[in-house]
DNA sequence: AAGTGGTCTAGACCACTGA
DNA sequence: CAGTGGTCTAGACCACTTG
């Protein structure tokens, strides 16, 4: 170490983010190529002059980001197929409307008990069919249609739903606030508005609409499956 | 501790997942209501009989899941607005096609250098305009149109792109494999096919199509912005 | 200024899983 | 069965942020 000289060798304390970025840099510049096995955490720790747990923290992050894959005994490898990984937040529809500075509105359209049709049993991955509560409702923003939801709620898993006044409170809101889930499948696609949907959303037949389908379970028991058809112009953004 | 008796008090070793689940349970059953402040990590550690770092690991996970919010000095609080948080993987288009068991194909449609129009400068959050490489290309699955991409690549940030044979290798593939980014914005929406897009994707005018827009930067420098229009029937699924 | 979460360390043991 | 990642601990210090 030379103070006032040219090179100053300093004992730098590396944070786990530093380690992550340096390892990531090596993946990007080809030092570690796709499919390659990286050194063991312990060796990296020695190289970087930090504790193994610091390397572990860094590698955990790279693993979560989809950069590397880790296995006990198998070691750490650079993923062969790079992916863009993003996190999506889907809020309660009321909050989504209010966050846009609009006034939230809600209208119950239909409430029936029906046997679940095959397309929905498939989403739940159920063997046979059963009776479920079907809730059809419209969410509004400043009085304009915003999202139309067609929802099935399992009466076996969530019998309490029958005691909720679904004309006053949306099933969306009640379920998200009261029924935790352990599994959630999401599906996004575009569809042309059919006559009925167009009428409900006050748009033209054939308009391109974004659809969000969400199915949740608690353990293996189905909770709800909802097809939310959004009004034209709806966008999904990933959080920064 | 009574072996062979009724109650056996065992010194159980809690894992961070156990701690996470127990705290999560308290959020769900209302012990900790939305907006409430939770006990400090240290107090929870004492209560659960584990190290503070174990509680820290658990809370970090709950924080990532959007269940609680943590701030130094401010403590840990239950989020007021529950969200459904999901992780999306967007693979390279080639892999997406091949993972469906189809044969991947690629066709370069247009390659020009143009001044970036306002809608695209907005996506990049650029002050003025500049010349960029515009690449228009079609990805095919088993010979059928799969995704049409209209892409802008910054010649200032990525001059090497000019040396790549974009008729042989898609910009998608080359960029994902070679140009790391530090920021990625994603946007999804539905649009009706216009005449040109319908022709390219071999579908009818007005068909509902899912659009994926992705813009990436390295630091503050723009890399690329792409509008990927998918063929009818395209879906986005969250990984389990 | 003080309280609380964030990180680092060194060491130990556990739990997968590939050879 | 042996190698590697995963987790836990106890303690220390740091960094942010709020009262």
């Amino acid at each position: 170490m030379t103070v006032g000289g040219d090179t100053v060798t300093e004992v730098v304390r590396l944070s786990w983010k530093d380690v992550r970025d340096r390892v990531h840099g090596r993946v990007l510049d080809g030092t570690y190529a796709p499919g390659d096995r990286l050194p063991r955490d312990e060796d990296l720790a020695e190289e970087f002059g930090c504790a193994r747990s610091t390397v572990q923290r860094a590698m955990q992050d790279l693993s979560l980001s989809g950069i590397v894959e880790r296995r006990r005994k198998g070691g750490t490898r650079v993923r062969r197929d790079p992916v863009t990984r993003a996190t999506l937040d889907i809020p309660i529809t009321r909050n989504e409307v209010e966050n846009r500075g609009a006034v939230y509105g809600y209208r119950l359209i239909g409430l029936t008990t029906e046997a679940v049709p095959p397309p929905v049993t498939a989403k739940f991955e159920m063997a046979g069919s059963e009776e479920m509560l079907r809730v059809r409702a419209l969410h509004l923003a400043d009085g304009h249609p915003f999202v139309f939801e067609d929802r099935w709620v399992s009466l076996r898993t969530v019998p309490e739903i029958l005691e909720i006044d679904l004309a006053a409170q949306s099933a969306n809101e009640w379920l998200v606030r009261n029924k935790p889930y352990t599994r959630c499948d999401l599906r996004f696609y575009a569809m042309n508005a059919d006559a009925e949907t167009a009428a409900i959303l006050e748009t033209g037949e054939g308009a391109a609409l974004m659809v969000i389908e969400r199915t949740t379970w608690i353990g293996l028991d189905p909770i709800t499956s909802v097809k939310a058809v959004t009004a034209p112009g709806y966008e999904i953004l990933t959080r920064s």
Side-chain angles (χ1 to χ4, degrees), chain A:
Chain A
M1 172 168 172
T2 314
V3 176
D6 213 353
T7 45
V8 176
T9 306
E10 191 65 60
V11 178
V12 276
R13 178 121 161 175
L14 289 182
S15 74
W16 67 267
K17 290 184 181 179
D18 295 329
V19 174
R20 176 197 61 188
D21 293 343
R22 287 176 67 161
V23 172
H24 190 189
R26 292 182 184 179
V27 171
L28 296 172
D29 71 15
T31 306
Y32 304 140
D36 277 4
R37 182 165 174 177
L38 275 61
R40 308 151 49 206
D41 289 6
E42 198 169 339
D43 292 341
L44 283 172
E46 189 182 358
E47 179 190 342
F48 290 128
C50 65
R52 179 164 80 94
S53 50
T54 303
V55 173
Q56 150 78 22
R57 182 74 180 79
M59 300 305 268
Q60 175 201 330
D61 197 64
L62 289 176
S63 175
L64 267 181
S65 306
I67 311 283
V68 302
E69 282 175 329
R70 283 160 74 76
R71 275 188 209 168
R72 284 161 161 149
K73 165 83 181 183
T76 305
R77 289 177 180 276
V78 180
R79 270 187 73 124
R80 287 186 180 278
D81 301 325
V83 291
T84 297
R85 190 164 284 178
T87 301
L88 271 186
D89 278 355
I90 301 190
I92 292 179
T93 307
R94 169 195 290 279
N95 292 334
E96 203 170 354
V97 169
E98 292 174 347
N99 287 344
R100 296 179 182 213
V103 175
Y104 176 74
Y106 167 75
R107 198 163 76 229
L108 181 63
I109 293 181
L111 191 61
T112 54
T113 301
E114 300 178 34
V116 177
V120 179
T121 58
K123 282 170 205 151
F124 279 128
E125 297 174 2
M126 290 164 47
S129 180
E130 66 182 60
E131 297 263 309
M132 288 198 183
L133 189 68
R134 183 180 187 183
V135 189
R136 303 170 82 233
L138 184 64
H139 301 269
L140 305 133
D142 283 340
H144 301 294
F146 185 68
V147 169
F148 168 58
E149 65 169 64
D150 187 354
R151 178 188 297 272
W152 297 83
V153 184
S154 168
L155 292 171
R156 185 163 48 81
T157 315
V158 198
E160 318 94 282
I161 190 75
L162 291 172
E163 292 157 27
I164 308 300
D165 179 6
L166 292 175
Q169 183 184 21
S170 78
N172 174 312
E173 210 155 331
W174 187 82
L175 284 166
V176 171
R177 290 196 195 280
N178 296 282
K179 297 309 291 185
Y181 55 83
T182 52
R183 178 182 164 199
C184 176
D185 280 8
L186 291 173
R187 190 173 159 222
F188 308 91
Y189 57 94
M191 68 170 260
N192 288 107
D194 55 32
E196 186 196 6
T197 308
I200 292 175
L201 289 177
E202 293 173 13
T203 185
E205 199 172 336
L209 306 175
M210 167 81 84
V211 181
I212 303 172
E213 289 187 1
R214 173 168 37 182
T215 307
T216 57
W217 294 259
I218 176 88
L220 291 175
D221 300 324
I223 297 177
T224 189
S225 183
V226 60
K227 173 178 172 179
V229 184
T230 65
Y234 188 91
E235 293 179 347
I236 295 177
L237 304 175
T238 57
R239 66 197 188 99
S240 61

